[in-house]
């Protein structure tokens, strides 16, 4: 079956199948950026591993950040099935030529931010990613099945952190509300620009890479999240929020902020990238040593 | 303070402080596979710490979190080896080789001790630290016998930490009195055999140092310990009585 027929029949494209160049390039870009987001996303949460306020929370957080490294690994592996190399993709990240999700350019300022990231950021990621489990490219779709399972676990843990805080002392409640206030708008921006301004969407929909529009997914996220905020006893910081015809009508975020952060002008863009580049450069001698050792061993065995 | 409490605390503090340092590597490792591996190791160490501190706390009427977050520096009984600030990756692997090899020998003995809880913790932990030893060994070999630079760095890590290893094997009245305790002095020869075999194979020189640090087991630490605890404890201490 040829490419278009497979897409039309809602089948899966596999690595050895013929595919248009544009499809391949779009997927490489999307999967790489997704992988980059996983590994950059380790930083804002890793920021709290040392300070987690109980040993149980510390263990959960460590496991979570480790899961993200794992997600990065299998997403890079999925990208490699398209004929690129992880090392080259990392170079593109480090040189700023490929992006990662802008949400990770916001700082984690209190322990409650770890709850908010789990609940809102992972919640938004799940809404974005569940449809990707049906993406037309097989290796990406299969990687997403595994990622989504773990993300939903993370989302529940984030909710649970905030739930504990919202049942706690006045200071803990205030911490939880403050985190929601800061993370709400950036979370809405995770779905990308409004449909009218979205540049890649139409072609990706035709290729079965994308299944729903940005605005549809944003609405789905708001509808899912607002009732959860009620359970937490926290106030979504949107005066325009009303329930109407089965949906919550909400105020659109200020997308100029999204464009600014994408361009590099967010609170942590420079910090995140330079931390990543430093870890990579600091580790260069280790990777070189591993390669040299493997070559020596091979030579000795020959 | 009962002997069993103090003994359990020693083991628990070693594991906790190690987990704190290993955890600092997550999102800063030389490659993604290593973020995952060091994350695993930190989680194992933290899991051991929690089991041990829960047990110690049960003997003393405190929770694991009260022990971890509300003791001051002089009350921590870990060896200084565990608290030293992270250096480069060679330093990390030297520390893991020294520490995990010790832990492996210790837990292997402890799993047949008469205290059911300690034996149970050790029985689970011995499998975990076998992996830590293997991981450290593989890296010491790669780095020692890799490039010139990696050889130099691996040697530096092994040398820098060597003066902190004797403390692992210090014997005292407590371990001799407490029947369920493993006297760490009895582990030293096997430790030495194993560690030196790895160092030899790595083409590094055996470290030699006449000076050996001491003090952790009686709560005398390096200057670094206070900062480590400041980070570990500050949120919990800023909200006394809160649950998380």
């Amino acid at each position: 079956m040829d490419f278009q027929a497979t897409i039309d029949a809602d089948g899966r494209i596999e690595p050895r199948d013929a595919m248009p160049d544009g499809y391949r390039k779009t997927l490489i870009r999307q999967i790489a950026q997704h992988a980059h987001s996983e590994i950059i996303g380790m930083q804002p949460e890793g920021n709290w591993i040392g300070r987690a306020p109980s040993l149980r929370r510390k263990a959960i957080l460590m496991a979570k950040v480790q899961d993200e490294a794992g997600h990065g690994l299998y997403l890079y592996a999925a990208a490699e099935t398209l004929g690129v190399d992880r090392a080259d993709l990392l170079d593109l990240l480090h040189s700023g030529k490929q992006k990662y999700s802008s949400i990770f350019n916001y700082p984690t300022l209190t322990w409650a931010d770890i709850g908010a990231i789990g609940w809102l950021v992972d919640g938004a990621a799940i809404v974005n990613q569940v449809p990707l489990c049906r993406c037309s490219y097989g290796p990406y779709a299969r990687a997403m099945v595994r990622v989504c399972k773990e993300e939903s676990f993370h989302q529940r843990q984030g909710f649970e952190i905030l739930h504990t805080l919202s049942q706690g002392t006045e200071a803990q409640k205030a911490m939880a509300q403050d985190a929601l206030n800061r993370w709400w708008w950036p979370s809405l921006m995770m779905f990308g620009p409004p449909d009218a301004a979205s540049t890649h969407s139409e072609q990706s929909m035709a290729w079965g890479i994308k299944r729903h529009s940005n605005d549809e997914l944003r609405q789905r996220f708001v509808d899912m999240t607002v009732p959860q905020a009620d359970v937490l006893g926290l106030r979504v910081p949107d005066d325009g929020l009303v329930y109407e015809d089965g949906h919550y009508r909400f105020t659109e975020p200020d997308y100029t902020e999204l464009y600014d952060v994408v361009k590099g002008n967010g609170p942590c863009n420079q910090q995140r990238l330079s931390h990543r580049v430093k870890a990579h450069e600091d580790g260069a001698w280790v990777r070189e040593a591993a390669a040299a050792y493997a070559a020596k061993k091979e030579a000795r065995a020959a | 303070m009962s002997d069993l409490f103090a003994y359990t605390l020693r083991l628990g503090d070693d594991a906790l402080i190690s987990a704190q340092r290993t955890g600092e590597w997550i999102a800063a490792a030389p490659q993604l596979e290593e973020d995952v591996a060091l994350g695993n190791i930190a989680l194992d160490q933290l899991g051991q710490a929690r089991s041990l501190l829960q047990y110690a706390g049960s003997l003393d009427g405190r929770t694991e979190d009260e022990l971890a977050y509300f003791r001051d520096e002089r009350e921590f009984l870990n060896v200084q080896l565990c608290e030293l600030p992270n250096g480069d990756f060679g330093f990390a692997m030297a520390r893991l080789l020294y520490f995990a090899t010790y832990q492996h020998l210790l837990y292997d003995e402890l799993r047949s001790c008469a205290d059911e809880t300690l034996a149970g913790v050790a029985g689970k932990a011995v499998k975990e630290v076998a992996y830590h030893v293997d991981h450290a060994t593989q890296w010491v070999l790669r780095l020692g016998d890799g490039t010139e630079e990696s050889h130099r760095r691996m040697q530096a890590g092994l040398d820098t930490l060597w003066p902190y290893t004797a403390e692992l094997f210090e014997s005292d009245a407590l371990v001799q009195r407490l029947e369920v305790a493993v006297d760490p002095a009895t582990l030293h020869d096997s430790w030495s055999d194993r560690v030196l075999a790895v160092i030899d194979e790595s083409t590094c020189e055996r470290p030699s140092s006449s000076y050996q640090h001491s003090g952790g087991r009686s709560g005398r630490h390096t200057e670094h310990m206070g900062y480590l605890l400041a980070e570990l404890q500050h949120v919990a201490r800023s909200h006394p009585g809160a649950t998380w």
Side-chain angles (χ1 to χ4, degrees):
Chain A
M1 210 189 299
D2 79 350
F3 176 79
Q4 197 54 51
T6 306
I7 297 285
D8 293 344
D10 211 11
R12 290 274 185 275
I13 304 297
E14 295 299 334
R16 287 162 194 277
D17 295 345
M19 60 186 91
D21 264 0
Y23 178 83
R24 185 184 298 272
K25 278 189 192 144
T26 299
L27 274 167
I28 290 172
R29 184 180 57 90
Q30 182 170 336
I31 300 173
Q33 295 191 0
H34 194 162
H36 300 333
S37 301
E38 295 285 353
I39 65 168
I40 295 286
M42 293 167 71
Q43 289 181 42
E45 294 180 281
N47 181 38
W48 281 88
I49 288 177
R51 292 177 287 171
S54 76
L55 296 186
R56 176 173 161 265
R57 293 292 181 200
K58 190 192 282 286
I60 292 171
L61 182 58
M62 264 187 193
K64 182 182 181 205
V65 179
Q66 191 205 24
D67 280 348
E68 280 150 14
H71 295 173
L73 274 176
Y74 28 94
L75 284 163
Y76 285 120
E80 285 185 329
T81 63
L82 292 158
V84 288
D85 218 54
R86 193 214 304 183
D88 296 331
L89 296 177
L90 283 173
D91 285 344
L92 291 169
L93 167 67
H94 297 156
S95 62
K97 290 191 183 114
Q98 281 183 347
K99 305 285 184 200
Y100 53 88
S101 175
S102 283
I103 193 76
F104 300 119
N105 290 317
Y106 292 88
T108 49
L109 302 178
T110 72
W111 171 250
D113 290 28
I114 298 305
I117 287 193
W119 175 45
L120 296 174
V121 175
D122 292 332
I126 291 166
V127 171
N128 264 329
Q129 290 170 8
V130 163
L132 290 173
C133 299
R134 295 185 294 115
C135 161
S136 60
Y137 188 59
Y140 191 29
R142 289 188 287 274
M144 290 322 299
V145 171
R146 196 165 155 192
V147 169
C148 283
K149 274 188 200 152
E150 293 180 353
E151 292 293 356
S152 71
F153 190 54
H154 297 165
Q155 202 238 353
R156 280 202 300 276
Q157 289 165 346
F159 182 83
E160 205 220 315
I161 287 176
L162 290 178
H163 193 256
T164 307
L165 293 177
S166 66
Q167 309 283 308
T169 65
E170 286 306 313
Q172 286 178 306
K173 276 182 223 171
M175 196 191 280
Q177 182 63 54
D178 172 58
L180 173 54
N181 294 347
R182 284 181 290 108
W183 288 93
W184 174 255
W185 302 107
S187 298
L188 291 184
M189 295 178 209
M190 283 179 70
F191 299 92
D195 291 351
S198 180
T199 43
H200 300 293
S201 288
E202 210 172 314
Q203 181 62 71
S204 286
M205 299 269 250
W207 276 333
I209 296 173
K210 201 175 163 81
R211 300 282 182 181
H212 307 279
S213 80
N214 294 352
D215 288 335
E216 273 170 33
L217 294 171
R218 198 171 357 253
Q219 182 67 57
R220 193 177 289 181
F221 172 72
V222 172
D223 288 342
M224 177 183 98
T225 306
V226 172
Q228 294 173 355
D230 290 340
V231 174
L232 292 173
L234 298 176
R235 185 186 165 276
V236 172
D238 178 357
D239 291 332
L241 200 67
V242 280
Y243 189 71
E244 183 178 282
D245 304 332
H247 295 288
Y248 287 92
R249 305 293 164 209
F250 59 96
T251 308
E252 290 288 330
D254 172 11
Y255 289 107
T256 55
E257 179 177 321
L258 174 65
Y259 299 129
D260 276 346
V261 179
V262 169
K263 270 185 250 156
N265 301 316
C268 297
N269 294 58
Q270 237 183 343
Q271 180 189 335
R272 299 288 184 243
L273 202 56
S274 59
H275 178 96
R276 178 90 264 293
V277 169
K278 182 175 187 307
H280 189 72
E281 286 173 356
D282 286 352
W285 68 272
V286 176
R287 297 189 300 275
E288 282 158 20
Y293 179 77
K296 280 187 201 179
K297 267 202 118 168
E298 204 175 318
R300 279 173 208 150
Chain B
M1 197 192 294
S2 81
D3 283 350
L4 183 58
F5 172 76
Y7 180 69
T8 307
L9 212 49
R10 289 178 181 185
L11 308 188
D13 286 349
D14 280 352
L16 176 65
I17 302 305
S18 296
Q20 185 76 3
R21 286 300 187 209
T22 311
E24 291 173 22
W25 274 102
I26 302 173
Q31 55 192 25
L32 210 39
E33 286 82 354
E34 217 37 45
D35 283 301
V36 175
L38 291 169
N40 254 327
I41 291 169
L43 271 168
D44 287 343
Q45 291 169 334
L46 184 57
Q48 292 159 22
R50 293 188 63 197
S51 302
L52 291 161
L53 293 181
Q54 282 163 13
Y55 184 46
S58 74
L59 303 167
D60 192 53
R62 281 189 267 184
T63 66
E64 55 171 343
D65 287 335
E66 284 167 335
L67 287 171
Y69 291 91
F70 291 91
R71 275 182 300 151
D72 287 335
E73 193 177 338
R74 296 281 278 111
E75 298 167 86
F76 275 81
L77 302 180
N78 56 286
V79 292
Q80 295 178 358
L81 176 70
C82 302
E83 77 204 35
L84 296 173
N86 287 345
D88 67 11
F89 189 71
F91 181 96
M93 291 302 110
R95 169 151 58 189
L96 188 62
L97 178 72
Y98 292 159
F99 181 63
T101 304
Y102 153 79
Q103 274 195 315
H104 188 258
L105 292 162
L106 170 79
Y107 287 139
D108 196 31
E109 286 284 317
L110 201 60
R111 64 177 158 168
S112 48
C113 82
D115 183 298
E116 259 180 51
T117 308
L118 281 182
V121 172
K124 179 169 182 284
V126 75
K127 294 176 206 145
E128 296 167 351
V129 295
Y131 160 73
H132 306 177
V133 171
D134 183 60
H135 193 72
T137 300
Q138 295 309 314
W139 273 114
V140 171
L141 297 180
R142 282 187 203 113
L143 299 178
D145 196 13
T147 64
E148 251 175 65
E149 181 183 8
S150 71
H151 179 85
R152 177 176 57 74
R153 287 173 178 266
M154 192 64 244
Q155 185 71 57
L158 293 165
D159 290 344
T160 307
L161 290 167
W162 188 258
Y164 292 90
T165 54
E167 200 185 359
L168 292 167
F169 306 102
E170 279 174 3
S171 184
D172 63 2
L174 187 152
V175 290
Q176 287 162 13
R177 223 170 28 231
L178 181 67
E179 205 181 321
V180 297
V182 175
D183 182 346
T186 62
L187 307 173
H188 181 262
D189 289 351
S190 308
W191 179 85
S192 204
D193 289 347
R194 292 185 189 195
V195 162
L196 292 177
V198 176
I199 293 174
D200 289 346
E201 195 187 335
S202 78
T203 75
C204 286
E205 298 289 323
R206 296 181 174 199
S208 60
S209 165
S210 48
Y211 183 70
Q212 286 284 346
H213 297 269
S214 173
R217 294 290 186 226
S218 49
R220 277 185 295 112
H221 293 281
T222 63
E223 289 181 349
H224 311 292
M225 184 67 175
Y227 294 93
L228 182 151
L229 292 180
E231 181 179 357
L232 174 78
Q233 297 178 334
H234 109 260
V235 178
R237 289 205 182 199
S238 301
H239 301 267
T243 44
W244 301 96

